[in-house]
C-alpha cells in the first residue's frame, strides 16, 4: 500500500515546452518551402475535397491506451499522399493542419492537447513538403515518385512519433515515453501499409478519375474492416483480461490479497485512471478503502471520489454511472465535477441480497473516451466475481477463526493454544521460561445443574473477560476446555509463574450476580514451565492439567507441577477397576475416630471413615479412591457401603448398652441425588437406628456453593430427623451468617485453625468467633485436630463442646476400637444410661 506523497507530476499545460519548438519547425520549414517553390497555393476545389477526406481519415480506427493517453491509429496517409502529388506544398500544409485542428476539436480535447497536435501536424506536413521539393519535379507515377512520396511521409511520421514521445516523457516520465516507442512500431507498420495503398490509389486515379467511385467504396469498406477488427480486438482483449482477472481473484486467499489482485487489473481492463474497492466495517472486519492509480505501482489508501457516491450505491443496491455517454444519477454530476472526476462507474458488491461493499472506476483514460453501457456490463460481471471471491475469503477466514477459537468466549481454543505453545518452546530465550497457567473454575457443574447451562455460560464468559483484562499484555489467554482457561507467556522462572498465578487468581476473584443470586468466582490454578517440566507442547499441557487437578483438592490453591503428581494420577487410573472389585469383594473397611466432650471427656460418638488396603499398592489414601469413585460412577456404592457399616455397628453398640452416635462424610455430588434421602430412610429402618443418632457431614464447599442445589436434599434429610454437620468450616469463603438459612445442627472447625491456636493469635481468634457465633445460632461445635493438652485447654476456655483428634485417638478399625473402649473407659464414672467416660487421655 502506498500512502505517501509522490513527486509532483507535470500537467498538460507544460506541453508548450514541446509545442513551441514544433511550431517553430513548422514556420521555418514552411517559409523555406515558400522561398524555393513557384506555386505555393492553389487548386482549391481539389484541396477542399482532400480536406474532407483528411478529416474523415483522421477519425481513429484503432485506439491504444498508453498510461494516461490514447493513441489513435488512422488512415490519414491515403489523402495525404494524394495531396502531396496534386496540391501545391503550402496548400498541403494548410489542409493537413486544418484537418488536424477540426478532428481534435471535434474530439473535445483540452486546449494544450489541441495546440500540441496542430503544431505536430503542421511541423510534420511542412517538413514533408520541404523534403519532397528535393525530388521535384515528379514525373508520372513511377518508382521515383513512390520513393519521393514515401520519404516525405516518413519524415512526417518521424516528427509525429518523436513529438509524442517527447511530450509523454516530459509529462509522465521516461517509462511512458519508452512505452510510446514500443507501441509506435505497430503504428509505423500500419502507416507504411497505408502509404503503399495510397500509392496504388494514386496510380488508379491517374488512369481514370472514375476510379474515385470504386476507391470511395473501397475506402468505406476498409474503414468498416478496421472498425470490425478494432471491435474484435477489444472484445478479445476484454475476455482475456476478464479471464485473467477472475482467475487471479479466485486464487487470492484473503481480502487484502483480493484487493491486490483485483484493483490493478480492473483499472487496466476498464482503461480508467482510478479503480477503488470499498468495504464498510462489518463484524470483525474494519473498513477497507483501497485505490489503484494508473501511475502508481502499489495501492493507495486515499480516494478522490466523494463518499456520498458509494453510500448511494450501498443504500440503493444498484449501479451508478455518471459520464458523457451513460448517466444514471445526474444529481451527482456537479459534485463529481467539483472533485475533478470526468466520469465514474460504481457497482455494488453483493452477498445474496445484502450489499457488502462497492467497486468503482473513475476517469476513463483519453479525453475523448468515456464509459459505455457495454463497459458497465463488463464491470458488473467483474464485480460479481469479486463479490463471490471476497465472500469466500471471508468464509474461509471465519472457518479458520472458528477452528482456532472458542465460540462462547471468543478466546483461542486448545488447538490454537497447542500451536502457540509449540512455537514458543522452539525459541529458547536465555534467562526465560515459557510458563503455562491453567485456571480451573470451581463449582461450575453445580451452577449448570442448578441454574442451567445458560448461567454456566455467563460464568465462563465473565471469567474469560476478567482473565483477559488482568493478564499481562504479552500473555496469550485461551480456553483449554470446559471450565479451564490457559494463560501462556514468557517469564523469568517457575517462581515468577507461581507468583503471577496467585496474583491473577486474586484479581479475577469477585462476586458474580445472577438476578437475585450471588456467586463467588474462584479458581484452582496449575502451573507448568518449559523447559523444567517438558520440551513439547503436548507434554506441557498434560502436566499443567495434572497440576490444576491437584490444586482442586485444596480449594483456591496454586499448584506447581511435580513428577509425583503424574505418578499419583497414573495410580488413580489403575485403581478404577480395582475399586469396583474391592466393593464387590468387601475389601474396604470402616475405621472409627472417637468424638469426645472436652469438658468432662465423655465419648459421644465416632466418625466413620472408609479405608482401603490394596493388595499391591498398600494403603490407598481416601482422597484418591473417593476421587476415583466420583469419576467412575461408583460414589453411590461407596457411600452406601459406609452408611451400612456405620449403622450396623451403631445398632450393635446400642444392643451392648453403648448407644454411640455415628457420623458419615458425604461428597458434594451425593446431595444432587434425589433418591439419597430415601436410601437413608430405608437403611435407618433396616438397622433400627434412631435418625438422631446419625450425623451426615458435608464439606463447607459442598453445602455452601452459592446455589440452591443442595437445599432440597438437605431439607429431606432434616425431615427424617438426621443430624447435619458442616465439615472443614473456615476453609471456604462462606460466613456463619450463611449457615442460618441451612438446616444444619453442627459445625466442625477445620483442623488447620485448631492446630494453630497455640501459636497463632489469628487462628485462636477465628476459632473463638466460630464457637461464639455458632452457640448463639444454637449449633454444636466440634473441633478437629485436637493433638495437645494446650490446645485442649484453650478450647475449653473458649467454650468449645466437642473435639476429636490424635490426643484422644487415631481412626481405628472395629476390633481396635473395642479394645480402646475397654482400655480408656472408666467403669466407675459410668452411671446407668450414661455415656462412657474416658479414664485418661494418652
Amino acid at each position: 500500500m502506498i500512502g505517501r506523497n509522490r513527486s509532483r507530476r507535470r500537467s498538460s499545460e507544460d506541453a508548450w515546452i514541446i509545442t513551441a519548438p514544433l511550431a517553430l519547425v513548422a514556420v521555418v520549414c514552411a517559409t523555406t518551402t515558400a522561398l524555393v517553390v513557384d506555386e505555393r497555393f492553389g487548386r482549391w476545389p481539389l484541396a477542399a475535397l482532400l480536406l474532407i477526406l483528411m478529416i474523415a481519415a483522421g477519425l481513429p480506427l484503432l485506439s491504444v491506451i498508453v498510461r494516461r493517453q490514447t493513441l489513435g491509429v488512422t488512415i490519414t496517409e491515403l489523402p495525404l499522399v494524394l495531396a502531396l502529388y496534386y496540391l501545391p506544398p503550402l496548400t498541403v500544409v494548410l489542409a493537413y493542419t486544418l484537418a488536424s485542428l477540426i478532428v481534435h476539436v471535434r474530439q473535445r480535447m483540452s486546449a494544450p492537447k489541441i495546440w500540441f497536435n496542430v503544431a505536430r501536424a503542421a511541423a510534420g506536413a511542412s517538413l514533408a513538403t520541404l523534403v519532397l521539393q528535393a525530388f521535384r519535379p515528379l514525373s508520372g507515377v513511377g518508382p521515383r515518385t513512390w520513393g519521393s512520396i514515401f520519404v516525405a511521409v516518413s519524415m512526417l511520421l518521424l516528427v509525429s512519433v518523436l513529438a509524442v514521445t517527447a511530450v509523454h516523457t516530459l509529462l509522465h516520465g521516461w517509462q511512458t515515453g519508452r512505452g510510446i516507442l514500443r507501441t509506435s512500431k505497430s503504428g509505423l507498420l500500419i502507416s507504411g501499409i497505408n502509404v503503399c495503398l495510397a500509392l496504388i490509389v494514386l496510380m488508379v486515379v491517374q488512369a481514370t478519375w472514375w476510379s474515385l467511385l470504386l476507391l470511395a467504396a473501397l475506402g468505406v469498406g476498409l474503414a468498416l474492416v478496421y472498425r470490425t477488427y478494432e471491435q474484435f480486438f477489444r472484445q478479445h482483449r476484454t475476455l482475456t483480461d476478464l479471464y485473467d482477472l477472475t482467475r487471479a481473484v479466485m486464487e487470492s486467499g484473503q481480502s487484502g490479497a483480493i484487493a491486490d489482485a483485483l484493483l490493478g487489473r480492473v483499472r487496466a481492463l476498464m482503461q480508467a485512471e482510478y479503480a477503488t474497492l470499498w468495504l464498510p466495517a462489518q463484524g470483525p472486519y474494519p473498513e477497507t478503502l483501497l485505490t489503484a492509480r494508473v501511475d502508481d505501482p502499489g495501492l493507495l489508501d486515499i480516494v478522490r471520489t466523494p463518499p456520498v457516491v458509494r453510500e448511494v450505491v450501498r443504500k440503493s443496491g444498484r449501479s451508478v454511472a455518471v459520464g458523457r455517454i451513460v448517466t444514471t444519477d445526474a444529481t451527482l454530476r456537479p459534485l463529481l465535477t467539483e472533485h475533478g472526476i470526468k466520469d465514474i462507474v460504481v457497482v455494488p458488491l453483493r452477498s445474496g441480497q445484502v450489499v457488502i461493499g462497492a467497486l468503482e472506476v473513475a476517469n476513463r483514460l483519453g479525453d475523448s473516451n468515456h464509459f459505455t453501457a457495454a463497459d458497465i456490463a463488463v464491470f458488473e460481471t467483474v464485480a460479481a466475481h469479486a463479490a463471490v471471491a471476497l465472500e469466500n475469503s471471508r468464509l474461509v477466514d471465519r472457518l479458520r477463526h472458528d477452528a482456532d477459537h472458542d465460540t462462547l468466549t471468543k478466546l483461542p481454543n486448545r488447538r490454537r493454544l497447542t500451536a502457540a505453545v509449540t512455537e514458543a518452546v522452539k525459541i529458547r530465550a536465555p534467562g526465560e521460561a515459557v510458563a503455562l497457567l491453567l485456571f480451573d473454575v470451581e463449582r461450575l457443574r453445580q451452577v449448570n445443574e442448578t441454574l442451567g447451562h445458560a448461567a454456566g455460560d455467563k460464568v465462563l464468559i465473565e471469567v474469560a473477560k476478567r482473565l483477559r483484562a488482568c493478564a499481562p499484555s504479552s500473555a496469550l489467554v485461551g480456553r483449554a476446555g470446559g471450565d479451564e482457561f490457559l494463560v501462556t507467556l514468557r517469564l523469568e522462572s517457575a517462581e515468577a509463574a507461581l507468583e503471577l498465578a496467585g496474583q491473577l487468581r486474586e484479581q479475577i476473584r469477585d462476586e458474580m450476580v445472577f438476578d437475585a443470586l450471588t456467586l463467588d468466582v474462584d479458581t484452582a490454578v496449575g502451573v507448568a514451565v518449559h523447559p523444567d517440566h517438558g520440551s513439547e507442547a503436548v507434554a506441557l499441557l498434560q502436566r499443567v492439567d495434572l497440576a490444576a487437578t491437584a490444586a482442586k483438592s485444596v480449594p483456591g490453591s496454586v499448584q506447581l507441577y511435580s513428577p509425583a503428581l503424574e505418578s499419583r494420577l497414573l495410580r488413580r487410573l489403575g485403581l478404577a477397576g480395582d475399586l469396583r472389585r474391592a466393593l464387590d469383594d468387601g475389601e474396604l473397611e470402616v475405621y472409627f475416630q472417637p468424638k469426645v466432650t472436652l469438658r468432662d471427656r465423655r465419648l459421644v460418638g465416632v466418625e466413620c471413615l472408609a479405608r482401603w488396603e490394596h493388595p499391591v499398592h498398600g494403603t490407598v489414601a481416601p482422597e484418591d479412591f473417593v476421587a476415583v469413585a466420583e469419576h467412575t460412577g461408583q460414589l453411590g456404592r461407596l457411600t452406601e457401603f459406609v452408611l451400612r457399616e456405620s449403622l450396623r455397628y451403631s445398632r450393635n453398640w446400642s444392643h451392648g448398652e453403648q448407644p454411640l452416635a455415628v457420623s458419615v462424610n458425604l461428597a458434594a455430588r451425593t446431595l444432587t441425588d434425589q433418591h439419597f434421602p430415601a436410601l437413608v430412610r430405608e437403611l435407618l429402618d433396616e438397622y433400627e437406628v434412631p435418625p438422631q443418632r446419625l450425623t451426615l457431614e458435608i464439606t463447607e464447599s459442598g453445602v455452601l456453593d452459592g446455589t440452591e442445589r443442595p437445599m432440597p436434599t438437605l431439607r429431606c434429610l432434616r425431615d427424617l430427623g438426621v443430624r447435619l454437620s458442616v465439615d472443614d468450616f473456615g476453609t471456604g469463603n462462606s460466613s456463619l451468617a450463611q449457615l442460618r438459612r441451612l438446616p444444619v445442627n453442627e459445625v466442625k472447625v477445620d483442623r488447620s485453625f485448631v492446630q494453630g491456636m497455640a501459636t497463632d493469635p489469628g487462628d485462636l481468634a477465628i476459632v473463638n468467633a466460630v464457637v461464639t457465633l455458632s452457640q448463639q445460632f444454637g449449633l454444636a461445635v466440634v473441633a478437629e485436630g485436637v493433638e495437645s493438652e494446650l490446645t485442649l485447654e484453650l478450647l475449653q476456655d473458649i467454650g468449645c463442646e466437642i473435639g476429636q483428634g490424635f490426643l484422644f485417638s487415631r481412626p481405628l478399625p472395629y476390633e481396635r476400637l473395642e479394645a480402646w473402649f475397654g482400655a480408656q473407659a472408666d467403669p466407675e464414672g459410668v452411671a446407668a444410661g450414661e455415656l462412657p467416660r474416658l479414664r485418661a487421655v494418652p
Side-chain angles (χ1 to χ4, degrees):
M1 185 187 302
I2 300 175
R4 60 183 183 273
N5 294 329
R6 299 179 63 88
S7 59
R8 187 183 68 87
R9 297 184 178 86
R10 293 181 179 271
S11 67
S12 58
E13 301 291 337
D14 296 329
W16 66 268
I17 299 175
I18 306 298
T19 302
L22 289 174
L24 180 60
V25 170
V27 171
V28 171
C29 292
T31 302
T32 304
T33 302
L35 294 175
V36 300
V37 299
D38 297 330
E39 185 183 9
R40 301 180 182 90
F41 297 99
R43 306 179 190 179
W44 298 110
L46 181 58
L49 176 61
L50 291 175
L51 174 63
I52 295 173
L53 292 178
M54 287 180 184
I55 294 173
L59 300 176
L61 299 177
L62 293 176
S63 296
V64 179
I65 303 295
V66 179
R67 295 279 177 162
R68 294 172 175 266
Q69 306 300 324
T70 303
L71 299 182
V73 178
T74 65
I75 55 174
T76 53
E77 293 82 5
L78 272 68
L80 177 61
V81 168
L82 296 177
L84 290 173
Y85 186 82
Y86 287 111
L87 297 179
L90 295 186
T91 304
V92 174
V93 174
L94 180 61
Y96 192 77
T97 303
L98 184 58
S100 176
L101 175 63
I102 294 172
V103 168
H104 290 99
V105 169
R106 182 179 178 275
Q107 292 177 346
R108 297 187 179 183
M109 287 188 174
S110 61
K113 291 184 178 181
I114 292 176
W115 294 122
F116 166 77
N117 284 289
V118 170
R120 175 172 61 90
S126 300
L127 181 60
T129 56
L130 180 60
V131 170
L132 190 61
Q133 301 311 309
F135 298 97
R136 292 284 186 181
L138 299 178
S139 57
V141 191
R144 183 174 179 275
T145 300
W146 301 347
S148 301
I149 293 177
F150 194 87
V151 172
V153 175
S154 298
M155 290 297 101
L156 185 146
L157 294 175
L158 179 62
V159 169
S160 179
V161 170
L162 292 178
V164 172
T165 302
V167 76
H168 280 83
T169 303
L170 173 69
L171 298 181
H172 307 297
W174 63 271
Q175 291 182 339
T176 304
R178 188 171 62 178
I180 295 293
L181 287 177
R182 286 199 301 264
T183 307
S184 64
K185 295 178 182 179
S186 57
L188 291 175
L189 177 61
I190 294 175
S191 297
I193 295 173
N194 290 340
V195 171
C196 294
L197 291 175
L199 292 173
I200 294 173
V201 170
L202 179 60
M203 287 186 292
V204 173
V205 170
Q206 280 291 91
T208 174
W209 284 94
W210 289 104
S211 61
L212 288 175
L213 297 175
L214 296 176
L215 291 174
L218 180 62
V220 172
L222 183 62
L224 292 176
V225 169
Y226 269 111
R227 290 289 186 183
T228 303
Y229 172 74
E230 180 191 26
Q231 185 178 7
F232 169 77
F233 175 76
R234 181 174 297 175
Q235 290 177 347
H236 175 73
R237 186 192 63 187
T238 299
L239 290 175
T240 302
D241 291 346
L242 185 60
Y243 172 76
D244 293 339
L245 186 150
T246 302
R247 184 177 62 180
V249 168
M250 291 301 179
E251 290 177 353
S252 59
Q254 301 175 347
S255 56
I258 289 177
D260 291 333
L262 175 69
L263 291 179
R265 289 177 172 86
V266 166
R267 190 210 57 74
L269 174 65
M270 301 300 295
Q271 298 179 357
E273 182 181 3
Y274 298 97
T276 300
L277 173 66
W278 175 61
L279 301 172
Q282 182 181 12
Y285 302 101
E287 181 183 24
T288 299
L289 187 62
L290 297 173
T291 298
R293 187 164 59 182
V294 62
D295 294 322
D296 291 293
L299 298 182
L300 306 173
D301 54 3
I302 57 175
V303 63
R304 287 184 60 183
T305 54
V308 64
V309 181
R310 293 182 288 275
E311 285 297 329
V312 168
V313 172
R314 185 179 68 85
K315 292 179 180 179
S316 65
R318 57 181 178 83
S319 301
V320 171
V322 179
R324 179 182 174 187
I325 299 176
V326 180
T327 298
T328 61
D329 193 339
T331 60
L332 297 174
R333 188 185 299 277
L335 182 61
L336 294 175
T337 303
E338 180 182 345
H339 285 76
I341 304 298
K342 179 183 69 172
D343 47 7
I344 187 174
V345 179
V346 186
V347 297
L349 298 175
R350 299 179 182 275
S351 175
Q353 299 298 320
V354 179
V355 176
I356 61 173
L359 191 63
E360 68 180 68
V361 287
N363 289 355
R364 187 72 179 267
L365 295 176
D367 292 341
S368 60
N369 294 332
H370 300 274
F371 295 116
T372 65
D375 294 326
I376 296 175
V378 171
F379 194 35
E380 288 176 340
T381 302
V382 172
H385 286 290
V388 171
L390 181 65
E391 192 64 17
N392 288 341
S393 71
R394 288 189 169 182
L395 177 60
V396 171
D397 290 342
R398 287 194 295 269
L399 292 175
R400 186 179 292 115
H401 181 275
D402 292 344
D404 291 337
H405 289 77
D406 173 50
T407 57
L408 177 64
T409 62
K410 310 305 179 186
L411 293 178
N413 58 15
R414 178 173 286 271
R415 179 175 179 270
R416 175 71 182 90
L417 290 169
T418 303
V421 175
T422 301
E423 291 298 321
V425 299
K426 289 181 180 179
I427 304 174
R428 180 69 184 275
E432 286 187 341
V434 179
L436 281 72
L437 284 58
L438 188 64
F439 294 78
D440 192 302
V441 181
E442 296 183 347
R443 298 191 299 274
L444 184 65
R445 179 189 295 273
Q446 291 90 323
V447 175
N448 288 332
E449 293 174 350
T450 306
L451 304 178
H453 286 275
D457 291 345
K458 290 181 180 179
V459 171
L460 292 174
I461 293 172
E462 180 64 22
V463 172
K465 179 181 177 181
R466 294 178 183 180
L467 195 57
R468 188 162 40 191
C470 298
S473 58
S474 60
L476 175 65
V477 181
R479 185 182 179 192
D483 56 357
E484 296 176 341
F485 294 88
L486 183 71
V487 177
T488 178
L489 73 166
R490 291 187 179 276
L491 292 172
E492 296 80 5
S493 61
E495 291 74 17
L498 282 172
E499 182 179 357
L500 176 62
Q503 293 173 356
L504 291 179
R505 176 182 167 270
E506 290 300 323
Q507 290 175 3
I508 66 176
R509 286 181 63 187
D510 200 358
E511 290 184 346
M512 189 180 300
V513 179
F514 291 98
D515 297 328
L517 184 64
T518 300
L519 301 178
D520 288 326
V521 177
D522 202 357
T523 56
V525 190
V527 178
V529 296
H530 164 80
D532 297 351
H533 302 144
S535 58
E536 296 182 356
V538 175
L540 287 169
L541 289 169
Q542 179 186 7
R543 287 164 183 174
V544 75
D545 199 17
L546 287 175
T549 302
K552 286 191 292 185
S553 61
V554 180
S557 69
V558 178
Q559 175 69 52
L560 181 67
Y561 168 80
S562 66
L565 297 177
E566 190 164 3
S567 61
R568 184 176 182 182
L569 178 65
L570 293 174
R571 185 184 180 192
R572 282 188 178 182
L573 291 176
L575 292 176
D578 296 342
L579 178 60
R580 179 176 286 105
R581 185 176 59 255
L583 288 170
D584 292 338
D585 298 343
E587 295 180 2
L588 270 69
E589 291 186 78
V590 173
Y591 277 42
F592 308 90
Q593 185 173 27
K595 298 169 68 175
V596 179
T597 59
L598 301 180
R599 184 63 59 187
D600 53 8
R601 302 191 184 185
R602 293 187 181 275
L603 183 65
V604 294
V606 291
E607 181 178 0
C608 305
L609 303 168
R611 293 293 185 263
W612 183 17
E613 190 71 21
H614 194 278
V616 176
H617 300 295
T619 301
V620 181
E623 57 267 25
D624 285 343
F625 67 76
V626 170
V628 169
E630 287 193 60
H631 287 89
T632 58
Q634 301 179 75
L635 181 61
R637 291 189 62 194
L638 178 61
T639 303
E640 182 179 353
F641 164 75
V642 178
L643 273 174
R644 284 186 176 277
E645 290 295 293
S646 302
L647 295 176
R648 181 168 65 87
Y649 284 115
S650 179
R651 180 190 60 186
N652 295 340
W653 290 325
S654 178
H655 292 168
E657 297 184 355
Q658 290 182 338
L660 291 178
V662 292
S663 299
V664 177
N665 291 290
L666 296 182
R669 187 174 297 182
T670 303
L671 297 179
T672 63
D673 184 1
Q674 59 182 348
H675 303 294
F676 179 70
L679 173 65
V680 174
R681 182 174 59 251
E682 291 176 3
L683 294 177
L684 289 171
D685 294 341
E686 179 180 349
Y687 290 102
E688 300 178 349
V689 175
Q692 63 272 18
R693 202 172 292 171
L694 172 64
T695 300
L696 297 178
E697 298 183 3
I698 309 101
T699 60
E700 178 187 1
S701 59
V703 72
L704 293 172
D705 60 355
T707 70
E708 295 295 320
R709 180 189 56 83
M711 295 304 295
T713 302
L714 292 176
R715 293 192 183 100
C716 290
L717 293 173
R718 178 198 60 187
D719 295 341
L720 288 177
V722 174
R723 290 173 53 84
L724 299 175
S725 175
V726 178
D727 196 10
D728 298 334
F729 189 81
T731 58
N733 300 316
S734 57
S735 66
L736 282 168
Q738 293 176 285
L739 294 177
R740 300 181 63 185
R741 64 184 182 88
L742 298 177
V744 297
N745 309 95
E746 179 182 277
V747 174
K748 298 187 72 173
V749 185
D750 187 69
R751 68 181 63 250
S752 60
F753 300 110
V754 175
Q755 292 174 350
M757 290 174 60
T759 58
D760 190 340
D763 288 343
L764 178 59
I766 291 174
V767 177
N768 188 18
V770 172
V771 171
T772 302
L773 290 177
S774 296
Q775 290 174 348
Q776 291 180 0
F777 293 152
L779 301 177
V781 181
V782 179
E784 297 182 295
V786 182
E787 297 182 0
S788 68
E789 286 288 349
L790 179 57
T791 301
L792 177 62
E793 293 176 2
L794 292 173
L795 289 170
Q796 288 175 343
D797 292 340
I798 63 177
C800 184
E801 302 168 354
I802 303 172
Q804 69 180 91
F806 292 173
L807 179 65
F808 307 116
S809 175
R810 296 175 180 272
L812 301 172
Y814 176 72
E815 294 78 7
R816 293 183 58 188
L817 179 68
E818 288 291 325
W820 183 86
F821 278 167
Q824 300 300 326
D826 185 2
E828 298 179 357
V830 180
E834 290 186 354
L835 293 173
R837 181 174 180 176
L838 301 186
R839 178 179 298 163
V841 176

